[in-house]
Amino acid sequence: MASDGGRKQFWKRSGAKVPGSIQHVYGAQHPPFDPLLHGILIKPGSKPPSTPVKLKKVSTFQEFESNTSDAWDLGDDDDELLAIAAENLNTEVVMETAHKVIQNHSKLQEQHKFQEEHLEEEKQAESAELMSIVCGDNRLVKSVSEGHTRSSSDNGSENSSMQRSQSLPQTSTSPLVSGMSEYNTSATTALNERDAFRLDKFKQLLAGPNTDLEELRKLSWSGIPKKVRPIAWKLLSGYLPANVDRRESTLQRKRKEYFAFVEQYYDSRNDENHQDTYRQIHIDIPRMSPEVLRLQPKVTEIFERILFIWAIRHPASGYVQGMNDLVTPFFVVFVCEYIEEEEVENFDVSSLPEEVLQNIEADSYWCMSKLLDGIQDNYTFAQPGIQKKVKMLEELVSRIDEQVHKHLDQHEVKYLQFAFRWMNNLLMREVPLRCTIRLWDTYQSEPEGFSHFHLYVCAAFLVRWRKKILEEKDFQELLIFLQNLPTVHWGNEEISVLLAEAYRLKFAFADAPNHYKR
């Protein structure tokens, strides 16, 4: 067990800031407050009687499947699930099914990874063999090349792969490479067909005179195609009405209203009452992610206006560090409405027309406002909403993975030291921006997604690293790991599994809070 003296000596020698030390910044109306120094304000709940937990009421599988079919759109499990669709299932059966879906998904990922590694090893071995042939006798290269060409011509599906590789030397082409190209092309084609089908479903839903928001939420739970994400987010957030005829007039009115606020309030940013708030916003924006986007002067200017206007119009909380991150996903998604580039992070925003930039700015402001309306107690004085959620996370983890919970407690790692940022920034500092955007597709599809469902995502996220957590036997190493989790290469697959596990936890615990209360 790490001693207090040992930890102090470690950070004194390194000269670094102690991981988990939190310095919160508020607007001019709030002095700094440190929850670690003041202690957790939320008192632990009373211990419930140790009576057996009652099972939930029996529900039909059709009811459960209708709520989760988009959550686990895995294809291969559908037949197995439908085979038992007529049965009445209790909670245990549903939980077992959920476990099975997640396990099948994980196994599929492992198989793909193994196949890729195996193919890469064979490719390297054959490349080495070809090199030895070239060095030994150049005449053999011709026969090998001809043999490969004949083999390729016998398989019609490989011709397209060969044609795309005509610029490569014939002697370096092997049946293995052709096979890999065919495999990748086939997988990409299947993926594209699935994406095209989903995009068509969204377009059909959005094309009607009145969009069915409940159906849109169900469809969006498992991800929204990039082309329709801007309009889908505006509808899901409540910024736009479901009626198509009213949307354009609503956009014009809300955009005009936002710039009226700018004209009214923005010039006061250097006044004595507001200059501390504006200065802190100006300091925080360069810290946001992604790096390339934040360094653009035009982006900085837009974000400063959005955050300052929100702070002035919400004096109960003012501006708090972390809010600057919450603008980014909306801004990036709405920029994609006007450009074709895949990597918007590298796009020069200033190249867009001024009118377009104004539309993006106003839309980002209103959607961020809708989000913050649901979690504003996270940012009022002393941030009681975050403290409550961190305490609930601790209690939940103690129930779902007692070993991880005891390990953290044994090494004196407090949940506030790593999970405060998870709640304050909605995991934006823990996963890449592309993953945050995918995560928010689901959050906006869930009732109280950014507040209630986020708790279960954080629990699933922590338990996801249980092996590494249990391997660490030192306070400093544990804390450093939890504050720098290796998610840089994460994509939709990892987020989908995380969300499925979070949904399973929510299904088990949301309607039975005594399950996770001590």
Side-chain angles (χ1 to χ4, degrees):
M1 183 180 295
S3 65
D4 291 340
R7 291 197 296 275
K8 291 178 180 176
Q9 288 297 323
F10 172 83
W11 296 112
K12 184 176 180 182
R13 290 196 304 271
S14 64
K17 189 176 180 181
V18 178
S21 60
I22 304 165
Q23 185 175 357
H24 306 295
V25 179
Y26 297 82
Q29 61 270 53
H30 297 317
F33 174 85
D34 191 334
L36 292 181
L37 296 178
H38 289 70
I40 299 173
L41 299 184
I42 309 303
K43 294 182 179 179
S46 58
K47 203 167 186 178
S50 56
T51 55
V53 179
K54 293 182 180 180
L55 292 175
K56 299 174 70 173
K57 289 182 179 180
V58 175
S59 60
T60 63
F61 185 81
Q62 291 94 328
E63 292 173 345
F64 176 73
E65 194 269 341
S66 68
N67 290 328
T68 60
S69 58
D70 289 326
W72 301 317
D73 190 6
L74 299 176
D76 296 335
D77 300 298
D78 292 349
D79 294 338
E80 185 176 349
L81 294 176
L82 291 174
I84 56 173
E87 298 180 19
N88 287 336
L89 302 181
N90 59 25
T91 304
E92 293 180 355
V93 177
V94 171
M95 295 294 290
E96 182 181 351
T97 304
H99 272 303
K100 194 167 185 179
V101 171
I102 295 171
Q103 289 171 1
N104 289 345
H105 192 91
S106 300
K107 288 179 182 178
L108 187 62
Q109 282 187 297
E110 292 175 1
Q111 290 174 1
H112 287 169
K113 183 177 179 182
F114 174 78
Q115 290 174 355
E116 290 173 1
E117 291 176 352
H118 185 64
L119 289 173
E120 183 64 26
E121 289 175 0
E122 290 187 4
K123 179 182 176 182
Q124 291 176 356
E126 184 154 341
S127 297
E129 182 181 351
L130 289 174
M131 286 301 295
S132 65
I133 293 173
V134 171
C135 294
D137 189 347
N138 287 336
R139 290 176 299 175
L140 291 177
V141 174
K142 183 177 180 181
S143 63
V144 171
S145 174
E146 290 173 350
H148 292 164
T149 304
R150 286 194 299 269
S151 175
S152 300
S153 63
D154 291 340
N155 193 332
S157 63
E158 293 180 0
N159 286 339
S160 59
S161 301
M162 293 294 294
Q163 289 170 0
R164 286 191 297 271
S165 306
Q166 283 178 352
S167 60
L168 299 176
Q170 284 289 327
T171 53
S172 64
T173 305
S174 70
L176 176 62
V177 176
S178 299
M180 288 179 65
S181 299
E182 182 185 1
Y183 173 80
N184 292 335
T185 302
S186 175
T188 303
T189 301
L191 183 63
N192 289 341
E193 288 178 356
R194 181 180 180 277
D195 289 345
F197 177 72
R198 282 181 51 77
L199 177 59
D200 187 56
K201 288 178 69 176
F202 272 94
K203 286 182 175 179
Q204 289 179 16
L205 183 61
L206 295 169
N210 288 284
T211 302
D212 185 340
L213 294 181
E214 187 58 35
E215 189 63 29
L216 180 61
R217 290 188 187 97
K218 290 179 181 179
L219 199 56
S220 301
W221 204 102
S222 54
I224 304 173
K226 184 178 179 181
K227 289 184 178 180
V228 295
R229 184 176 277 132
I231 182 67
W233 275 27
K234 291 171 188 176
L235 288 165
L236 291 171
S237 67
Y239 174 43
L240 284 184
N243 184 273
V244 174
D245 295 335
R246 293 174 51 210
R247 288 178 193 167
E248 188 58 34
S249 61
T250 300
L251 283 174
Q252 292 179 5
R253 176 171 54 82
K254 299 298 284 185
R255 289 166 179 172
K256 185 177 179 180
E257 185 179 349
Y258 168 74
F259 282 102
F261 294 154
V262 172
E263 186 176 351
Q264 181 179 356
Y265 298 116
Y266 196 59
D267 287 341
S268 69
R269 63 189 181 279
N270 294 317
D271 291 355
E272 185 177 353
N273 293 337
H274 300 146
Q275 61 183 1
D276 288 345
T277 298
Y278 178 74
R279 186 187 302 115
Q280 192 58 55
I281 291 172
H282 188 73
I283 291 171
D284 287 346
I285 287 177
R287 300 172 179 170
M288 71 184 192
S289 178
E291 182 177 355
V292 178
L293 193 63
R294 75 189 182 201
L295 295 177
Q296 297 186 35
K298 195 66 179 177
V299 175
T300 299
E301 176 188 330
I302 290 172
F303 275 50
E304 284 179 354
R305 280 198 295 267
I306 290 174
L307 292 166
F308 183 78
I309 298 302
W310 193 91
I312 295 301
R313 289 187 50 77
H314 296 80
S317 62
Y319 170 77
V320 182
Q321 268 184 321
M323 287 182 179
N324 54 307
D325 283 332
L326 304 185
V327 184
T328 308
F330 291 115
F331 182 81
V332 169
V333 167
F334 297 153
V335 166
C336 291
E337 191 173 3
Y338 300 95
I339 66 174
E340 296 295 330
E341 280 78 358
E342 284 295 321
E343 298 296 331
V344 67
E345 295 93 332
N346 300 320
F347 178 74
D348 182 7
V349 173
S350 63
S351 64
L352 290 171
E354 188 63 28
E355 182 182 357
V356 168
L357 288 173
Q358 290 180 353
N359 292 344
I360 294 170
E361 179 178 344
D363 295 347
S364 299
Y365 169 82
W366 288 115
C367 287
M368 184 199 74
S369 297
K370 291 286 188 181
L371 186 161
L372 289 174
D373 285 347
I375 56 173
Q376 194 166 351
D377 63 340
N378 285 6
Y379 304 106
T380 53
F381 179 67
Q383 299 182 262
I386 290 180
Q387 294 187 59
K388 180 180 179 181
K389 289 182 178 70
V390 172
K391 186 62 180 176
M392 290 174 68
L393 175 65
E394 181 177 358
E395 292 168 344
L396 180 58
V397 173
S398 72
R399 294 305 185 195
I400 64 176
D401 199 325
E402 188 176 7
Q403 189 177 4
V404 167
H405 175 73
K406 286 185 175 180
H407 187 76
L408 294 175
D409 183 62
Q410 177 186 354
H411 293 282
E412 300 180 10
V413 176
K414 306 299 181 185
Y415 281 73
L416 270 175
Q417 293 172 312
F418 62 89
F420 190 96
R421 189 172 71 183
W422 296 9
M423 304 299 177
N424 192 55
N425 301 77
L426 297 177
L427 289 177
M428 280 199 62
R429 295 296 177 94
E430 321 310 319
V431 297
L433 179 60
R434 62 183 178 274
C435 295
T436 297
I437 290 173
R438 169 62 191 90
L439 201 61
W440 285 23
D441 286 346
T442 300
Y443 280 5
Q444 295 189 89
S445 307
E446 275 280 330
E448 299 180 321
F450 290 99
S451 55
H452 188 61
F453 187 62
H454 180 66
L455 169 68
Y456 298 98
V457 172
C458 288
F461 188 62
L462 178 61
V463 176
R464 161 71 173 75
W465 309 102
R466 74 181 312 275
K467 181 179 179 182
K468 180 66 176 176
I469 289 172
L470 295 176
E471 288 174 356
E472 296 291 352
K473 307 296 183 183
D474 179 78
F475 167 82
Q476 290 89 353
E477 294 300 323
L478 262 172
L479 209 49
I480 290 172
F481 174 73
L482 288 169
Q483 292 183 335
N484 299 276
L485 294 166
T487 61
V488 65
H489 298 299
W490 272 33
N492 285 347
E493 289 294 327
E494 289 80 6
I495 293 297
S496 295
V497 173
L498 179 69
L499 289 168
E501 177 64 15
Y503 187 89
R504 185 185 70 82
L505 293 176
K506 179 192 171 188
F507 184 83
F509 293 98
D511 296 328
N514 286 336
H515 283 202
Y516 62 80
K517 284 186 178 178
R518 288 188 176 278

